Amino acid sequence: MAGLETTLGAAIDATAAAHGAEPAFIADGKATDYATLKRDSDALAAAMLRDGVCKGDRVGIWLPTSAAWLTIFCAVARIGAIAVPVNTRYQGEEVRHVLTHAGVSLLFAQPRMWRTDAFETLCAISPDLAVAQDVKLTLEALPDLRRIVMTEAHPARAVVALADYAAATSGGPAIFPEVVESDSLLICFTSGSTGRPKGVVHSHRVLRHCRRLAEIQGLKPGERSLANWPLHHAGGLFILLVPTLLSGAAMVGIAQWTGSDALRLIEAERVTVIGGIPTHYLDMIDDPAMGQRDLSSLRYCYMGGANVAGDVFDRIVQALDCGTLPSTYGLTENTVCATFNLPGDPPEWCSRNIAPVVADCEVAIVDPATGESVAAGEPGEIRFRGATVMDGYYNDPDATAAAIDADGWLRTGDLGVLHPNGYLQPTGRLKEMLKVGGSNVSPTEVESVLIEHPAARNAVVVGVPDRRLTEVAFAFVERRPGCDSSEAEIIAFCRPRMADYKVPRHVLLLDELPRLSTGKIDRAVLALQAKEAVSQLVTESGAV
């Protein structure tokens, strides 16, 4: 692994010098090595400087995981500009919000992504782009945007191709500005599940934590990580991308996630490390090709995003033959992966996401109403303070002040327990906690019971209004393929396994749960559906 370089540009220099011939990115049977990554990113960085991009300017990256994504990101970091990853599944208003809120002046994009035509989307946001005749832009609805660079040639006169942009030489040689650890590296927008996405600002200090995550994963030259985390997401940035670049390992690109393609790439490219949310693993082990692929190259598997029931956890471990499945917990505002299971942690701790704090920060469990610390082993809100905590929400001082108190503590909104051995266990979201007849009910607790039912692949519990108890549990259950069960059977299954007030009053069976672009379950959509379903019941029967 490279030394203790404090900026990403210096880290790329060190990795390329030590492991220049090692692949940094592999896709479609082609590899981009670290020497090439350094050469191309330096050339692009020089082109950006000649184009007038300055330290601190925001540069959008709107393309799928690729060698170009790595090159652009490294080039932006080299000159002290700030990368703004854009979700590849975003559409008009979502794209407009990110570009205008961050004040993106230069946008790198791929012409087509999934079902999205990037240029048409931008024209829908700002129609004057469609008739623009110059690559130097002045757009009414995107006032900060000055240049659009596409990864491929494009017929529009307002667009320049990446190859032409990087090769531009007018203006003389570029002198890279000095970049220091405290300079901003990126603005990572949250998923927006509870409102408009907020731009989380992190500096080059993230390298310290990412170096620790590389060590935990055992990354080194010759290792290959499956790049199934999207790079516009904090998980892809801080667990996958930066640790890989620091260690001289390689990322193996997957064009679009399917369990079948993941299994194929693990076998074909001899992938050694994979991480994911439970959905990733369930997609793989439920795929018909699961027993037909050689997965013996896998050395390390880990999971984040949500807990899984013990039997599901055991199925994943057995299917992948990975010994155990370390779990991690964190959030974008704290550089993700605040906790991570270490070798020797019991499987039951891993399955319940009980893990030590590995981030460079303090942790406190407090009464959310008073802010006072609770006793060890007692539940409360998780709060963090330290180097891994974000610098703030970009251009949003009110949201920053609401998230970080005067003493520097980040209010996570997550509930958890700090065990006497120092291990932290997240147990749910503060705002998702149900209040049934005056008693607190954790959705996570109910979900863990629901998932034990043989027909349940996954489950989500939300609260809905109730005339007598004020609020009761409404459960959405994602069925396993080929399994059949009724809502009444699910409720009957729960009754002997939990207190009566925790038992869901309503159950809806689904073939698939709705998800955000990150792969996480969209609880906001489910909460709305649940309220609509109960409202319909009230209309039909006159009572819940």
Side-chain angles (χ1 to χ4, degrees):
M1 182 177 294
L4 298 180
E5 293 77 21
T6 59
T7 66
L8 186 62
I12 294 300
D13 286 348
T15 302
H19 311 292
E22 292 287 343
F25 187 79
I26 302 168
D28 301 323
K30 299 179 181 178
T32 300
D33 61 34
Y34 277 96
T36 301
L37 176 61
K38 172 178 165 49
R39 182 198 67 207
D40 291 351
S41 60
D42 281 357
L44 183 58
M48 284 193 285
L49 288 175
R50 288 191 290 267
D51 189 35
V53 180
C54 299
K55 184 176 179 179
D57 285 352
R58 279 75 62 206
V59 178
I61 308 177
W62 190 25
L63 55 148
T65 301
S66 59
W69 209 109
L70 272 66
T71 299
I72 295 164
F73 181 64
C74 293
V76 172
R78 169 75 68 188
I79 63 172
I82 305 171
V84 183
V86 183
N87 191 321
T88 53
R89 297 184 184 274
Y90 272 1
Q91 299 298 316
E93 177 56 26
E94 297 164 316
V95 175
R96 188 205 65 78
H97 171 70
V98 170
L99 298 183
T100 56
H101 186 77
V104 168
S105 59
L106 171 63
L107 176 65
F108 291 93
Q110 182 168 298
R112 291 202 63 81
M113 298 168 286
W114 320 127
R115 298 183 182 90
T116 300
D117 183 301
F119 188 73
E120 288 182 1
T121 300
L122 293 169
C123 288
I125 296 169
S126 194
D128 46 346
L129 174 61
V131 296
Q133 299 297 305
D134 195 341
V135 294
K136 188 173 182 180
L137 302 173
T138 304
L139 304 175
E140 182 175 353
L142 297 169
D144 297 298
L145 189 60
R146 291 290 177 263
R147 185 92 69 200
I148 298 171
V149 179
M150 293 283 186
T151 54
E152 304 166 17
H154 196 279
R157 292 190 176 184
V159 170
V160 60
L162 177 59
D164 295 334
Y165 184 83
T169 57
S170 60
I175 300 175
F176 294 154
E178 181 184 7
V179 181
V180 297
E181 184 183 46
S182 59
D183 288 331
S184 296
L185 172 64
L186 58 87
I187 301 172
C188 184
F189 277 80
T190 59
S191 61
S193 60
T194 57
R196 281 200 165 187
K198 296 188 284 290
V200 177
V201 182
H202 280 291
S203 71
H204 288 257
R205 280 192 299 269
V206 299
L207 267 67
R208 298 186 196 178
H209 186 44
C210 291
R211 193 171 281 110
R212 172 68 170 142
L213 296 179
E215 293 170 350
I216 290 172
Q217 298 176 62
L219 292 176
K220 58 184 182 297
E223 295 282 333
R224 296 185 173 189
S225 291
L226 188 65
N228 53 297
W229 297 96
L231 297 185
H232 57 74
H233 182 261
L237 291 165
F238 301 133
I239 311 175
L240 174 68
L241 174 61
V242 180
T244 302
L245 295 176
L246 292 173
S247 63
M251 292 169 52
V252 176
I254 179 168
Q256 186 170 2
W257 172 265
T258 66
S260 180
D261 278 350
L263 295 170
R264 176 182 58 81
L265 285 169
I266 292 170
E267 179 182 61
E269 299 295 347
R270 309 305 294 160
V271 169
T272 57
V273 176
I274 181 173
I277 59 177
T279 303
H280 287 128
Y281 289 108
L282 290 170
D283 285 348
M284 287 194 293
I285 68 174
D286 288 341
D287 192 274
M290 180 67 211
Q292 304 166 19
R293 295 293 186 182
D294 177 7
L295 309 182
S296 60
S297 62
L298 284 176
R299 174 188 58 77
Y300 187 81
C301 307
Y302 63 93
M303 182 166 60
N307 298 345
V308 295
D311 63 328
V312 177
F313 183 89
D314 292 341
R315 282 181 60 218
I316 295 170
V317 171
Q318 183 176 5
L320 296 178
D321 192 25
C322 54
T324 187
L325 194 62
S327 292
T328 179
Y329 154 75
L331 61 165
T332 304
E333 288 85 346
N334 194 35
T335 329
V336 306
C337 292
T339 70
F340 218 121
N341 282 117
L342 302 177
D345 284 349
E348 58 268 25
W349 291 4
C350 297
S351 67
R352 295 166 60 197
N353 211 341
I354 303 173
V357 176
V358 297
D360 185 12
C361 63
E362 302 173 78
V363 61
I365 307 295
V366 305
D367 182 323
T370 66
E372 296 296 320
S373 296
V374 301
E378 292 295 315
E381 183 187 12
I382 302 170
R383 295 189 179 180
F384 294 114
R385 180 173 65 182
T388 49
V389 172
M390 67 174 178
D391 294 337
Y393 293 117
Y394 185 78
N395 199 25
D396 199 338
D398 290 341
T400 300
I404 303 175
D405 70 18
D407 294 322
W409 286 100
L410 172 68
R411 305 177 178 96
T412 67
D414 291 331
L415 296 169
V417 172
L418 191 62
H419 293 277
N421 65 354
Y423 276 45
L424 179 64
Q425 179 184 12
T427 58
R429 290 286 294 167
L430 179 61
K431 57 192 168 190
E432 292 167 0
M433 183 68 73
L434 279 60
K435 199 80 167 179
V436 180
S439 298
N440 289 331
V441 175
S442 166
T444 303
E445 180 185 0
V446 181
E447 290 161 5
S448 67
V449 173
L450 288 164
I451 293 174
E452 292 177 0
H453 190 281
R457 185 174 189 261
N458 212 334
V460 171
V461 171
V462 299
V464 291
D466 182 83
R467 179 178 297 174
R468 176 171 172 269
L469 298 173
T470 305
E471 187 176 39
V472 293
F474 189 116
F476 293 88
V477 176
E478 183 177 272
R479 286 179 284 228
R480 291 189 188 278
C483 292
D484 191 22
S485 190
S486 69
E487 286 84 353
E489 288 171 347
I490 298 291
I491 293 173
F493 176 83
C494 292
R495 284 196 177 109
R497 291 170 170 80
M498 63 182 74
D500 57 356
Y501 65 90
K502 298 180 183 179
V503 175
R505 299 302 197 272
H506 314 279
V507 173
L508 184 60
L509 293 163
L510 302 174
D511 291 330
E512 188 174 1
L513 293 167
R515 299 184 183 278
L516 297 163
S517 60
T518 58
K520 290 185 177 181
I521 294 167
D522 194 337
R523 287 180 174 269
V525 166
L526 291 175
L528 180 61
Q529 291 179 0
K531 289 179 180 178
E532 290 174 347
V534 170
S535 177
Q536 183 64 29
L537 286 174
V538 172
T539 300
E540 294 174 353
S541 65
V544 176

